[in-house]
Amino acid sequence: MPKRKQSEWDFYHVVARGTGKQIIFEDGSDKHLLHALLHKLLHENHVEVYAWCFMENHIHLLLRAPLEHISAALKCTLQTYAIAFNRKYQRQGHLFQEAFKSEPIEDESHLLSAIRYIHQNPLKAGLTNSCHWPWSSFDEYYGTSTLPSICAKRSVLELFGGLEWFLSFHEIDCTESCLDVTSNFQRSKTRAMPDAEAFVVAERAIGAGSIEVIKAWPRDKRNAGIVSLHDAGLTIRQIERLTGISRGAINHTLKTCQMMG
């Protein structure tokens, strides 16, 4: 098997599918079991979950950890689930393909697109008319899931710039090819809200030429500019990259403004 590509910042989009397109869930109790196993074993292996989705014959996960931690955790999780599934339904043989697929996440825009792609899977499959799906992490972020939370929600919502932008981003049709279960692909070079687009949005928000000099503005004016950039949809990391203002200062400004109402 070819050596897996490594992510420089330990983010991976992972797909595990049933062997020969085998259905891996017969009912809701099976999904509850796999969800509980993921919760337990990924936590024990210090693997962060950023998004997940259970389909009929495959699962999508967006995980953060060194690849060896992910491999160990998934191997144990899927083996444990397969043994329980085979015993319950009196079947024999492999349930999952021997190797899960993994795609290294290359940058922040790729990460946001992969999260949206995972959450739009049931919608694309015609299983629902929105991203709301009881067996994905979308409702976990939305606040309506009945399942125990397993996602690093605070980190994800910070990347999106808050729940409102997270929801708006998911209303946009995902046209990018992320890791799929049926085909090899060449990734589109188009990314959701790349820095070039964010720069244009930023200049509209605070004025042409302001990005280069905002860090030298008086504190009150600078802070108002940071809030305007965040309200315009830029993530904290994008504001940091484009303005040169430290993430700590940006976080402090946004939190202070939220407290002041």
Side-chain angles (χ1 to χ4, degrees), residues 223-224 227 252-261:
N223 290 351
V227 172
H252 178 73
T253 296
L254 295 175
K255 288 178 181 178
T256 300
C257 290
Q258 288 174 354
M259 290 174 61
M260 294 175 63

Side-chain angles (χ1 to χ4, degrees), residues 43-161:
H43 176 74
E44 289 176 352
N45 285 272
H46 306 291
V47 178
E48 286 187 317
V49 183
Y50 274 54
W52 61 272
C53 181
F54 294 171
M55 302 294 284
E56 185 177 60
N57 61 9
H58 67 280
I59 64 172
H60 286 270
L61 303 168
L62 204 155
L63 306 174
R64 184 182 190 185
L67 189 55
E68 58 271 21
H69 291 188
I70 291 174
S71 295
L74 277 185
K75 181 178 180 180
C76 184
T77 300
L78 298 181
Q79 282 182 347
T80 302
Y81 177 79
I83 290 170
F85 185 92
N86 284 355
R87 182 182 300 119
K88 180 178 179 180
Y89 296 107
Q90 299 180 343
R91 70 176 298 276
Q92 295 181 343
H94 293 292
L95 179 62
F96 293 96
Q97 287 190 346
E98 290 189 9
F100 62 86
K101 289 186 176 182
S102 66
E103 175 187 29
I105 300 297
E106 301 162 354
D107 52 44
E108 183 178 299
S109 295
H110 185 181
L111 175 64
L112 302 186
S113 294
I115 291 172
R116 179 176 60 186
Y117 176 85
I118 289 171
H119 289 155
Q120 288 188 353
N121 242 239
L123 175 62
K124 299 287 188 181
L127 300 175
T128 178
N129 58 7
S130 71
C131 288
H132 291 286
W133 174 245
W135 300 107
S136 86
S137 49
F138 182 82
D139 280 354
E140 186 174 328
Y141 288 102
Y142 194 74
T144 56
S145 177
T146 59
L147 298 168
S149 176
I150 65 173
C151 287
K153 291 191 291 186
R154 177 178 293 183
S155 297
V156 171
L157 293 178
E158 180 180 301
L159 286 169
F160 277 97

